[in-house]
């Protein structure tokens, strides 16, 4: 029995040593082995104790891996070079020379490879592969090998037992496929070596590498997190999102409230977190602000940033952070973290690297929510072109067209819910958070001349450019002059802001334009990162990249002028009063209580306010450089005719002063009409005299 036991133990030790050879490569630099000074078996135990259970991506997609770290055996041209072999990288529409959608080898043989230098010793655990992004070509790798090295000279092929491991690649250009190494292996360099590829294509791929950096020594501590804020940095599915929002309301019950604005197609609720010193109530003179995230379900960073923001504001308010206290007490803030929860759940199930570029983007019905809002742009532009006096055409509060309101209209329930939300609350400023690029776009998103790409400014172009600049200039990644472009467009030449209609993608009118033309709210789109669905390990860093931007953008709701439009006699607020700023061909309206907010850059403005049944009123309002609104209140006087209508409707007696004013008004109208008739008669008589003098009347 003893000898049998010894034999089993020896066999187990041999098997363990076999595994160790895979993990702890004997060809590791001698210096590293000496510094560890422990047995390989002990090293393995230590390694797995200090590294996360699931290794994150090295960062080909997120651009943490520099172009200089990626090499290849060959490539067809610079636009298909190794630096383009990044997961989910997008090509230009024309497959231009510089910005194609993959690395493509020059030769079609089994000796081609794409190599990544991790810089540090890394425990490699897997490879994610994708085909070429192109509307003209179909190319992908169907099988491949993985090779590892510590010096980029001596290479060992990843083994599956006693045979070289063959990994399954792709069956189409877009769907990412994960290949896990049979045994995680420590090395510095990794190569992807294609073996077979689509029969009608060539050797092309986009990739991501999974791996954990090996600590320099056994005594090294865990890496510092990317943020000092104690927030819940992880991806939250629907249930976890609800729990988090509930926990914030429990921690800060005096300044938070959670409510719903509707449901998705599958019945998931669209939850909103309200942050205010008086939750649940619109306060006179206090502007309403909103952030909307998750319109495209797979663009997950915005969702997490909004969840981070609500946690952060709660904690900082409790600490007495004066900046946050001021925001909470002077602004009513609404945070919608997930406009498309159905799409997000689809992407979440796949995971951050395997969701691809489009998985979960659309609603359950396959609708792109950003293109699901009614096109009010062309309604306004068409009316201006056909009107005798274009200045008389309404430039705001353009009604929703009838076709859009029908039951059989292709309008998602999520879109209907957001439109109803916009109509219920007098929002002043908003931003919707997207992903896949690093740029801030501002209205209009729709071109006036149906061109695929053309600068199409609004009447408030200067202020929209200011809003976009505020976010972009405080975003830590956007302002980095050395950052690599995400895909094929260099927005740094535009200071990381661009008119939406001039964006390289073809957009129809979206939520930004609808918000501007149907409500008082100014809204921009923020493209937060090159990676739509960053790995969980990236979330603390992304929070730090965007924290200041999120806060300073909210503070812009207090720029310009604000005030209350009141009735002179009753002192009650007047709803739907029109506020017109000279040289700004876009009006706004007062809210239900008569208060209004007009976002403006510093300057002197002539402001005219009018309402139905009232005489108009004009004031000159000065907007200073400080980020505080100028108070411009207006008191309107009812017209005598309006007063008469109201008195008669109530069956009351007409006061003598009103009778006198009506009499004077009628007299002025009579005199004006008499003058007009006399001028018309004189003109006719003059025409007759000229006709006689030129030859008499014709018979």
């Amino acid at each position: 029995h003893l000898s049998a036991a010894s034999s089993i133990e020896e066999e187990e030790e041999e098997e363990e040593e076999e595994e160790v050879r895979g993990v702890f490569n004997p060809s590791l630099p001698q210096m590293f082995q000496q510094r560890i000074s422990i047995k390989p078996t002990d090293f393995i135990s230590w390694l797995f104790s200090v590294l996360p259970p699931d290794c994150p991506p090295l960062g080909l997609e997120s651009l943490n891996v520099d172009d200089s770290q990626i090499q290849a055996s060959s490539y067809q041209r610079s636009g298909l070079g190794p630096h383009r072999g990044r997961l989910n990288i997008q090509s230009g529409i024309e497959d231009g020379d510089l910005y194609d959608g993959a690395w493509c080898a020059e030769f079609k043989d089994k000796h081609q490879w794409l190599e990544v230098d991790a810089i540090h010793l890394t425990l490699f655990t897997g490879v994610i592969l994708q085909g070429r992004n192109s509307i003209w070509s179909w190319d992908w790798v169907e099988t491949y090998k993985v090779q590892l090295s510590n010096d980029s000279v001596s290479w060992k092929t990843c083994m599956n037992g006693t045979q070289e491991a063959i990994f399954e690649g792709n069956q189409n250009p877009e769907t990412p496929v994960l290949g896990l190494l049979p045994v995680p292996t420590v090395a510095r360099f990794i190569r992807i070596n294609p073996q077979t590829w689509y029969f009608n294509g060539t050797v092309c791929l986009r990739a991501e590498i999974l791996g954990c950096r090996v600590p320099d020594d056994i005594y090294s501590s865990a890496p510092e997190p990317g943020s000092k804020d104690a927030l819940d940095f992880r991806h939250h599915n629907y249930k976890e999102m609800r729990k988090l929002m509930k926990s914030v309301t429990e921690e800060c019950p005096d300044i938070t409230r959670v409510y719903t604005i509707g449901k998705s197609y599958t019945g998931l609720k669209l939850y909103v977190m309200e942050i205010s010193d008086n939750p649940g109530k619109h306060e006179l003179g206090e502007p309403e602000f909103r952030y909307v995230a998750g319109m495209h379900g797979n663009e997950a960073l915005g969702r997490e940033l909004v969840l981070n923001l609500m946690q952060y504001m709660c904690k900082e308010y409790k600490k007495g952070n004066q900046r946050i206290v001021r925001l909470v007490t002077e602004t009513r803030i609404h945070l919608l973290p997930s406009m498309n929860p159905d799409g997000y759940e689809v992407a979440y199930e796949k995971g951050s690297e395997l969701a691809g570029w489009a998985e979960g983007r659309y609603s359950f019905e396959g609708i792109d929510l950003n293109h699901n809002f009614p096109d009010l742009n062309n309604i306004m532009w068409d009316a201006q072109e056909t009107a005798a006096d274009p200045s008389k055409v309404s430039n705001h509060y353009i009604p929703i067209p009838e076709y859009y309101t029908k039951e059989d209209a292709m309008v998602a329930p999520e879109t209907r819910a957001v439109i109803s939300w916009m109509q219920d609350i007098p929002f002043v400023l908003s931003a919707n958070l997207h992903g896949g690029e690093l740029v801030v776009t501002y209205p209009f998103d729709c071109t006036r001349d149906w061109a695929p790409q053309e600068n199409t400014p609004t009447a408030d172009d200067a202020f929209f450019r200011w809003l976009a600049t505020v976010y972009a200039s405080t975003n830590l990644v956007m302002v980095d002059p050395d950052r690599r472009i995400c895909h094929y467009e260099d927005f740094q030449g535009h200071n990381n802001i661009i008119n939406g209609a001039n964006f390289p993608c073809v957009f129809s009118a979206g939520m930004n334009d609808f918000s501007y033309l149907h409500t008082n709210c100014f809204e921009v789109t923020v493209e937060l990162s090159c990676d739509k669905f960053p790995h969980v390990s990236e979330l603390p860093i992304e929070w730090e990249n965007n924290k200041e931007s999120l806060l300073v953008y909210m503070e812009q709701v207090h720029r310009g002028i604000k005030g209350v439009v009141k009735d002179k006699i009753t002192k009650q607020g007047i709803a739907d009063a029109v506020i017109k700023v000279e040289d700004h061909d876009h009006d706004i309206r007062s809210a239900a209580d008569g208060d209004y907010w007009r976002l403006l850059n510093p300057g002197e403005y002539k402001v005219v306010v009018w309402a139905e049944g009232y005489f108009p009123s004009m004031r000159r309002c000065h907007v200073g450089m400080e980020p505080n609104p100028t108070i411009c209140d207006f008191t309107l006087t009812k017209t005598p005719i309006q007063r008469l209508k109201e008195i008669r409707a109530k069956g009351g007696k007409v006061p003598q002063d009103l009778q006198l004013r009506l009499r004077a008004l009628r007299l002025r109208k009579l005199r004006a009409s008499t003058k007009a008739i006399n001028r018309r008669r004189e003109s006719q008589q003059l025409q007759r005299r000229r006709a006689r003098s030129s030859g008499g009347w014709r018979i």
Side-chain angles (χ1 to χ4, degrees), residues 70-85 97 102-108 112-114 202-204:
I70 312 174
Q71 307 294 327
S73 53
S74 66
Y75 52 92
Q76 294 179 13
R77 48 188 169 81
S78 60
L80 295 169
H83 65 292
R84 302 298 292 175
D97 183 65
W103 161 66
C104 291
E106 183 179 4
F107 309 105
K108 295 202 297 185
Q112 305 306 307
W113 44 260
L114 182 75
T202 187
V203 180
C204 294

Side-chain angles (χ1 to χ4, degrees), residues 678-692:
N678 291 337
R679 282 196 297 268
R680 188 163 57 250
R681 287 175 178 170
E682 291 173 359
S683 176
Q684 291 171 349
Q685 291 173 357
L686 180 61
Q687 289 176 358
R688 293 192 191 101
R689 285 196 296 269
R690 287 176 178 173
R692 292 192 191 100

Side-chain angles (χ1 to χ4, degrees), residues 507-542:
F507 281 134
S508 60
M511 188 162 74
N512 288 356
D513 292 6
F514 177 82
S515 181
Y516 182 66
L517 294 176
H518 187 67
T519 76
N520 291 332
C521 188
F522 287 34
E523 184 166 348
V524 303
T525 292
V526 182
E527 298 283 348
L528 295 162
S529 69
C530 303
D531 187 352
K532 286 186 175 185
F533 201 143
H535 189 268
V536 64
S537 61
E538 299 286 337
L539 294 180
I541 299 170
E542 292 291 1

Side-chain angles (χ1 to χ4, degrees), residues 167-240:
F167 296 87
E168 293 293 328
N170 304 107
Q171 297 300 317
N172 61 59
E174 290 297 331
T175 306
V177 176
L178 169 64
L180 291 174
L181 274 58
V183 179
T185 305
V186 172
R188 172 175 167 176
F189 300 89
I190 186 169
R191 278 182 178 176
I192 300 168
N193 173 214
Q195 297 298 295
T196 61
W197 41 90
Y198 177 54
F199 77 95
N200 203 26
T202 187
V203 180
C204 294
L205 62 85
R206 293 175 287 168
E208 182 61 89
I209 308 297
L210 304 182
C212 296
R213 177 180 173 180
V214 175
D216 292 337
D217 59 69
I218 196 169
Y219 303 107
S220 65
S221 58
E224 288 292 323
S227 174
K228 295 181 180 179
D229 296 324
L231 308 178
D232 188 9
F233 291 116
R234 59 193 173 102
H235 289 292
H236 298 78
N237 64 14
Y238 179 71
K239 291 182 179 180
E240 292 165 344

